[in-house]
Amino acid sequence: MQQEPAHEFPQFNDDVREAWNTNADFWNERMGEGNSFHNSLVRPSQESLLDLRPGEQLLDIACGNGHFARQMAEHGVQVTGIDIAPRQIENAIAASSSYGDQMRFLVADATDKQLLSQLGAHFFDAISCGMAIMDMAEVEPLAESVAALLKPGGRFVFTVMHPAFNSPNHLSRSVERVEMEDGRIVDTYAVKISHYIKPTAYEGVAIIGQPVLQRYFHRPISVLLNVFFNQGFVADGIEEPVFGGTDPRHALDWDNFHEIPPVLAVRLRLMDSGQ
Ligand SMILES: C[S@@+](CC[C@H](N)C(=O)[O-])C[C@H]1O[C@@H](n2cnc3c(N)ncnc32)[C@H](O)[C@@H]1O
C-alpha cells in the first residue's frame, strides 16, 4: 500500500467537517462581517494581493460565513464561495441574499478534486483561501484543483496562521517587563517555539469559547510552498502583516506583538508552460 506523504492527514477529513459544522453558528456570531484580526491583518493583505478587477471570476475556498466573499463582491466581481461545512454555507447564503446572481455558495471539500473540477476548467481569474490551509487535512489535492481551476496567469492568494510564529502546537507567548536604571520600563514581547520542521496534526481553537476543539495541521513554509511549486506555481507576492496598536488590557494578545507576524499571506501564479 502506498504511504501518505508526511504532511497529509486524510484520516481527519471527517473530523474537520464535523468540528467546523458544530462551531459554525458560534463562528458566524463572532466573525460577523470581519473581526479585528480579519480586518486588521487578513483582509488588507488578501485584498491587495488579489488585486481584483470588475467583471472577474473569484473563487473563495473555505469561505466560512462568506464575509470575505461579500467584501470582494464590492469590487464588482462574480464570486463563488465553497466550504466543507454545510452550516457555514447555510449562514453564508442567508447573509448574501442581497447580492443576487453575483454570488453563489456551495458545500464542497476543497480537497475533492473530482467535485471541484465541476466548477469549470480554467474558469477563475483569481482564487482566495483565507486562514484555512492549516485547517485542511490534505493540501496536495487542493493545489492540483487550484491549478486546474485558474485561468492561465491567474492568481491564488492564501493566508495561514504564520507557520513559524503562530502555529500553536507548543507555542508560548510571553511579555517580559524590565525596569531600567534610568527609570524606563521596557516590555519585550516574545514567541517561543519548539516544533517547526515536522508536519503535525494537533487540536486547538480558532476563537476562544467555541463549542468544540478543531483539528489543525502544521506544515513548515517549505512543505507548504513546495506542494504548490510542484504544480507549476511561482510565488510573486508575500506579506507578513502585524498589528499596529496596543491593547494593554490583554497583554498577550497579538495586538501587542508588533515585531512578530501572526499571519502569512502569499500570492501564487501558474507559470506559463508555453504549451
Ligand atoms: C478559520 S475558518 C476561515 C473561514 C474564512 N475563510 C474566513 O476567513 O473567515 C476555516 C474554514 O475552512 C473550512 N475548511 C476546512 N477544511 C476544508 C476543506 N477541505 N474544504 C473546504 N473548506 C474547508 C472550514 O469549514 C472553515 O470554514
Side-chain angles (χ1 to χ4, degrees), residues 109-131:
D109 177 348
T111 66
D112 183 338
K113 285 190 291 181
Q114 212 188 346
L115 184 62
L116 259 68
S117 70
Q118 292 172 19
L119 294 175
H122 306 297
F123 179 71
F124 294 97
D125 300 281
I127 299 181
S128 51
C129 183
M131 301 304 284

PDB file of all heavy atoms in Angstrom, residues 109-131:
ATOM      1  N   ASP A 109     -15.771  20.040  -0.394  1.00  0.00           N
ATOM      2  CA  ASP A 109     -14.459  19.793   0.200  1.00  0.00           C
ATOM      3  C   ASP A 109     -13.412  20.181  -0.843  1.00  0.00           C
ATOM      4  O   ASP A 109     -13.370  19.602  -1.932  1.00  0.00           O
ATOM      5  CB  ASP A 109     -14.355  18.305   0.560  1.00  0.00           C
ATOM      6  CG  ASP A 109     -12.998  17.932   1.127  1.00  0.00           C
ATOM      7  OD1 ASP A 109     -12.057  18.737   1.046  1.00  0.00           O
ATOM      8  OD2 ASP A 109     -12.888  16.807   1.650  1.00  0.00           O
ATOM      9  N   ALA A 110     -12.586  21.154  -0.511  1.00  0.00           N
ATOM     10  CA  ALA A 110     -11.615  21.675  -1.476  1.00  0.00           C
ATOM     11  C   ALA A 110     -10.549  20.641  -1.841  1.00  0.00           C
ATOM     12  O   ALA A 110      -9.763  20.865  -2.764  1.00  0.00           O
ATOM     13  CB  ALA A 110     -10.948  22.925  -0.923  1.00  0.00           C
ATOM     14  N   THR A 111     -10.508  19.529  -1.122  1.00  0.00           N
ATOM     15  CA  THR A 111      -9.532  18.503  -1.465  1.00  0.00           C
ATOM     16  C   THR A 111     -10.193  17.386  -2.293  1.00  0.00           C
ATOM     17  O   THR A 111      -9.556  16.368  -2.574  1.00  0.00           O
ATOM     18  CB  THR A 111      -8.861  17.909  -0.202  1.00  0.00           C
ATOM     19  OG1 THR A 111      -9.842  17.207   0.557  1.00  0.00           O
ATOM     20  CG2 THR A 111      -8.241  18.992   0.645  1.00  0.00           C
ATOM     21  N   ASP A 112     -11.456  17.598  -2.677  1.00  0.00           N
ATOM     22  CA  ASP A 112     -12.159  16.633  -3.530  1.00  0.00           C
ATOM     23  C   ASP A 112     -11.988  17.085  -4.986  1.00  0.00           C
ATOM     24  O   ASP A 112     -12.764  17.897  -5.501  1.00  0.00           O
ATOM     25  CB  ASP A 112     -13.641  16.589  -3.122  1.00  0.00           C
ATOM     26  CG  ASP A 112     -14.437  15.561  -3.913  1.00  0.00           C
ATOM     27  OD1 ASP A 112     -14.003  15.175  -5.015  1.00  0.00           O
ATOM     28  OD2 ASP A 112     -15.510  15.174  -3.425  1.00  0.00           O
ATOM     29  N   LYS A 113     -10.975  16.543  -5.642  1.00  0.00           N
ATOM     30  CA  LYS A 113     -10.597  17.048  -6.978  1.00  0.00           C
ATOM     31  C   LYS A 113     -11.726  16.876  -7.986  1.00  0.00           C
ATOM     32  O   LYS A 113     -11.969  17.741  -8.811  1.00  0.00           O
ATOM     33  CB  LYS A 113      -9.353  16.305  -7.486  1.00  0.00           C
ATOM     34  CG  LYS A 113      -8.083  16.755  -6.807  1.00  0.00           C
ATOM     35  CD  LYS A 113      -6.865  16.195  -7.501  1.00  0.00           C
ATOM     36  CE  LYS A 113      -6.767  14.698  -7.311  1.00  0.00           C
ATOM     37  NZ  LYS A 113      -5.597  14.110  -7.933  1.00  0.00           N
ATOM     38  N   GLN A 114     -12.420  15.730  -7.887  1.00  0.00           N
ATOM     39  CA  GLN A 114     -13.477  15.456  -8.866  1.00  0.00           C
ATOM     40  C   GLN A 114     -14.622  16.472  -8.742  1.00  0.00           C
ATOM     41  O   GLN A 114     -15.103  17.020  -9.736  1.00  0.00           O
ATOM     42  CB  GLN A 114     -13.999  14.051  -8.643  1.00  0.00           C
ATOM     43  CG  GLN A 114     -14.449  13.429  -9.934  1.00  0.00           C
ATOM     44  CD  GLN A 114     -15.155  12.115  -9.696  1.00  0.00           C
ATOM     45  OE1 GLN A 114     -15.091  11.532  -8.607  1.00  0.00           O
ATOM     46  NE2 GLN A 114     -15.838  11.644 -10.704  1.00  0.00           N
ATOM     47  N   LEU A 115     -14.991  16.739  -7.486  1.00  0.00           N
ATOM     48  CA  LEU A 115     -16.080  17.689  -7.238  1.00  0.00           C
ATOM     49  C   LEU A 115     -15.673  19.090  -7.705  1.00  0.00           C
ATOM     50  O   LEU A 115     -16.439  19.786  -8.374  1.00  0.00           O
ATOM     51  CB  LEU A 115     -16.400  17.698  -5.742  1.00  0.00           C
ATOM     52  CG  LEU A 115     -17.559  18.554  -5.268  1.00  0.00           C
ATOM     53  CD1 LEU A 115     -18.856  18.074  -5.900  1.00  0.00           C
ATOM     54  CD2 LEU A 115     -17.674  18.484  -3.750  1.00  0.00           C
ATOM     55  N   LEU A 116     -14.453  19.493  -7.371  1.00  0.00           N
ATOM     56  CA  LEU A 116     -14.026  20.843  -7.743  1.00  0.00           C
ATOM     57  C   LEU A 116     -13.913  21.023  -9.250  1.00  0.00           C
ATOM     58  O   LEU A 116     -14.149  22.123  -9.767  1.00  0.00           O
ATOM     59  CB  LEU A 116     -12.709  21.213  -7.041  1.00  0.00           C
ATOM     60  CG  LEU A 116     -12.962  22.128  -5.826  1.00  0.00           C
ATOM     61  CD1 LEU A 116     -13.688  21.399  -4.730  1.00  0.00           C
ATOM     62  CD2 LEU A 116     -11.689  22.742  -5.326  1.00  0.00           C
ATOM     63  N   SER A 117     -13.612  19.933  -9.954  1.00  0.00           N
ATOM     64  CA  SER A 117     -13.459  20.055 -11.407  1.00  0.00           C
ATOM     65  C   SER A 117     -14.788  20.469 -12.051  1.00  0.00           C
ATOM     66  O   SER A 117     -14.814  21.063 -13.131  1.00  0.00           O
ATOM     67  CB  SER A 117     -12.939  18.754 -12.015  1.00  0.00           C
ATOM     68  OG  SER A 117     -13.949  17.768 -11.943  1.00  0.00           O
ATOM     69  N   GLN A 118     -15.905  20.211 -11.336  1.00  0.00           N
ATOM     70  CA  GLN A 118     -17.220  20.587 -11.894  1.00  0.00           C
ATOM     71  C   GLN A 118     -17.438  22.096 -11.889  1.00  0.00           C
ATOM     72  O   GLN A 118     -18.375  22.600 -12.505  1.00  0.00           O
ATOM     73  CB  GLN A 118     -18.326  19.895 -11.095  1.00  0.00           C
ATOM     74  CG  GLN A 118     -18.322  18.391 -11.290  1.00  0.00           C
ATOM     75  CD  GLN A 118     -19.288  17.682 -10.348  1.00  0.00           C
ATOM     76  OE1 GLN A 118     -20.200  18.285  -9.788  1.00  0.00           O
ATOM     77  NE2 GLN A 118     -19.068  16.395 -10.157  1.00  0.00           N
ATOM     78  N   LEU A 119     -16.573  22.827 -11.202  1.00  0.00           N
ATOM     79  CA  LEU A 119     -16.717  24.297 -11.197  1.00  0.00           C
ATOM     80  C   LEU A 119     -16.247  24.906 -12.519  1.00  0.00           C
ATOM     81  O   LEU A 119     -16.547  26.071 -12.807  1.00  0.00           O
ATOM     82  CB  LEU A 119     -15.936  24.913 -10.029  1.00  0.00           C
ATOM     83  CG  LEU A 119     -16.442  24.562  -8.627  1.00  0.00           C
ATOM     84  CD1 LEU A 119     -15.518  25.121  -7.561  1.00  0.00           C
ATOM     85  CD2 LEU A 119     -17.861  25.093  -8.426  1.00  0.00           C
ATOM     86  N   GLY A 120     -15.514  24.133 -13.310  1.00  0.00           N
ATOM     87  CA  GLY A 120     -15.131  24.631 -14.640  1.00  0.00           C
ATOM     88  C   GLY A 120     -13.626  24.721 -14.814  1.00  0.00           C
ATOM     89  O   GLY A 120     -12.961  25.389 -14.026  1.00  0.00           O
ATOM     90  N   ALA A 121     -13.119  24.063 -15.873  1.00  0.00           N
ATOM     91  CA  ALA A 121     -11.668  24.083 -16.110  1.00  0.00           C
ATOM     92  C   ALA A 121     -11.211  25.495 -16.484  1.00  0.00           C
ATOM     93  O   ALA A 121     -11.812  26.137 -17.348  1.00  0.00           O
ATOM     94  CB  ALA A 121     -11.311  23.102 -17.225  1.00  0.00           C
ATOM     95  N   HIS A 122     -10.176  25.989 -15.803  1.00  0.00           N
ATOM     96  CA  HIS A 122      -9.558  27.294 -16.090  1.00  0.00           C
ATOM     97  C   HIS A 122     -10.607  28.397 -16.207  1.00  0.00           C
ATOM     98  O   HIS A 122     -10.598  29.209 -17.129  1.00  0.00           O
ATOM     99  CB  HIS A 122      -8.684  27.192 -17.350  1.00  0.00           C
ATOM    100  CG  HIS A 122      -7.679  26.083 -17.240  1.00  0.00           C
ATOM    101  ND1 HIS A 122      -6.690  26.094 -16.279  1.00  0.00           N
ATOM    102  CD2 HIS A 122      -7.545  24.920 -17.906  1.00  0.00           C
ATOM    103  CE1 HIS A 122      -5.978  24.981 -16.383  1.00  0.00           C
ATOM    104  NE2 HIS A 122      -6.486  24.248 -17.355  1.00  0.00           N
ATOM    105  N   PHE A 123     -11.521  28.410 -15.257  1.00  0.00           N
ATOM    106  CA  PHE A 123     -12.661  29.333 -15.274  1.00  0.00           C
ATOM    107  C   PHE A 123     -12.398  30.604 -14.466  1.00  0.00           C
ATOM    108  O   PHE A 123     -12.928  31.668 -14.769  1.00  0.00           O
ATOM    109  CB  PHE A 123     -13.883  28.582 -14.710  1.00  0.00           C
ATOM    110  CG  PHE A 123     -15.127  29.400 -14.639  1.00  0.00           C
ATOM    111  CD1 PHE A 123     -15.811  29.762 -15.795  1.00  0.00           C
ATOM    112  CD2 PHE A 123     -15.640  29.834 -13.413  1.00  0.00           C
ATOM    113  CE1 PHE A 123     -16.971  30.534 -15.737  1.00  0.00           C
ATOM    114  CE2 PHE A 123     -16.787  30.599 -13.348  1.00  0.00           C
ATOM    115  CZ  PHE A 123     -17.457  30.946 -14.512  1.00  0.00           C
ATOM    116  N   PHE A 124     -11.574  30.502 -13.418  1.00  0.00           N
ATOM    117  CA  PHE A 124     -11.447  31.612 -12.467  1.00  0.00           C
ATOM    118  C   PHE A 124     -10.215  32.480 -12.745  1.00  0.00           C
ATOM    119  O   PHE A 124      -9.131  31.974 -13.025  1.00  0.00           O
ATOM    120  CB  PHE A 124     -11.387  31.079 -11.031  1.00  0.00           C
ATOM    121  CG  PHE A 124     -12.675  30.429 -10.609  1.00  0.00           C
ATOM    122  CD1 PHE A 124     -12.822  29.044 -10.685  1.00  0.00           C
ATOM    123  CD2 PHE A 124     -13.751  31.190 -10.175  1.00  0.00           C
ATOM    124  CE1 PHE A 124     -14.020  28.444 -10.331  1.00  0.00           C
ATOM    125  CE2 PHE A 124     -14.956  30.599  -9.816  1.00  0.00           C
ATOM    126  CZ  PHE A 124     -15.088  29.222  -9.888  1.00  0.00           C
ATOM    127  N   ASP A 125     -10.418  33.822 -12.618  1.00  0.00           N
ATOM    128  CA  ASP A 125      -9.295  34.750 -12.734  1.00  0.00           C
ATOM    129  C   ASP A 125      -8.464  34.738 -11.450  1.00  0.00           C
ATOM    130  O   ASP A 125      -7.250  34.962 -11.489  1.00  0.00           O
ATOM    131  CB  ASP A 125      -9.824  36.177 -12.954  1.00  0.00           C
ATOM    132  CG  ASP A 125     -10.656  36.282 -14.214  1.00  0.00           C
ATOM    133  OD1 ASP A 125     -10.055  36.358 -15.290  1.00  0.00           O
ATOM    134  OD2 ASP A 125     -11.901  36.258 -14.112  1.00  0.00           O
ATOM    135  N   ALA A 126      -9.145  34.538 -10.335  1.00  0.00           N
ATOM    136  CA  ALA A 126      -8.454  34.577  -9.042  1.00  0.00           C
ATOM    137  C   ALA A 126      -9.129  33.617  -8.076  1.00  0.00           C
ATOM    138  O   ALA A 126     -10.353  33.409  -8.139  1.00  0.00           O
ATOM    139  CB  ALA A 126      -8.490  36.002  -8.478  1.00  0.00           C
ATOM    140  N   ILE A 127      -8.313  33.043  -7.199  1.00  0.00           N
ATOM    141  CA  ILE A 127      -8.830  32.147  -6.154  1.00  0.00           C
ATOM    142  C   ILE A 127      -8.229  32.588  -4.830  1.00  0.00           C
ATOM    143  O   ILE A 127      -7.018  32.853  -4.744  1.00  0.00           O
ATOM    144  CB  ILE A 127      -8.472  30.670  -6.455  1.00  0.00           C
ATOM    145  CG1 ILE A 127      -9.091  30.237  -7.793  1.00  0.00           C
ATOM    146  CG2 ILE A 127      -8.946  29.759  -5.330  1.00  0.00           C
ATOM    147  CD1 ILE A 127      -8.826  28.792  -8.196  1.00  0.00           C
ATOM    148  N   SER A 128      -9.077  32.718  -3.814  1.00  0.00           N
ATOM    149  CA  SER A 128      -8.585  33.054  -2.479  1.00  0.00           C
ATOM    150  C   SER A 128      -8.859  31.893  -1.535  1.00  0.00           C
ATOM    151  O   SER A 128      -9.777  31.094  -1.765  1.00  0.00           O
ATOM    152  CB  SER A 128      -9.275  34.329  -1.959  1.00  0.00           C
ATOM    153  OG  SER A 128     -10.680  34.210  -2.081  1.00  0.00           O
ATOM    154  N   CYS A 129      -8.069  31.816  -0.493  1.00  0.00           N
ATOM    155  CA  CYS A 129      -8.282  30.803   0.545  1.00  0.00           C
ATOM    156  C   CYS A 129      -7.770  31.410   1.851  1.00  0.00           C
ATOM    157  O   CYS A 129      -6.566  31.392   2.122  1.00  0.00           O
ATOM    158  CB  CYS A 129      -7.547  29.512   0.187  1.00  0.00           C
ATOM    159  SG  CYS A 129      -7.837  28.200   1.389  1.00  0.00           S
ATOM    160  N   GLY A 130      -8.701  31.999   2.610  1.00  0.00           N
ATOM    161  CA  GLY A 130      -8.308  32.775   3.787  1.00  0.00           C
ATOM    162  C   GLY A 130      -8.267  31.955   5.054  1.00  0.00           C
ATOM    163  O   GLY A 130      -9.279  31.385   5.466  1.00  0.00           O
ATOM    164  N   MET A 131      -7.104  31.917   5.687  1.00  0.00           N
ATOM    165  CA  MET A 131      -6.928  31.323   7.008  1.00  0.00           C
ATOM    166  C   MET A 131      -7.521  29.918   7.090  1.00  0.00           C
ATOM    167  O   MET A 131      -8.253  29.585   8.033  1.00  0.00           O
ATOM    168  CB  MET A 131      -7.562  32.233   8.079  1.00  0.00           C
ATOM    169  CG  MET A 131      -6.971  33.611   8.107  1.00  0.00           C
ATOM    170  SD  MET A 131      -5.175  33.616   8.339  1.00  0.00           S
ATOM    171  CE  MET A 131      -5.016  33.250  10.068  1.00  0.00           C
TER     172      MET A 131
END
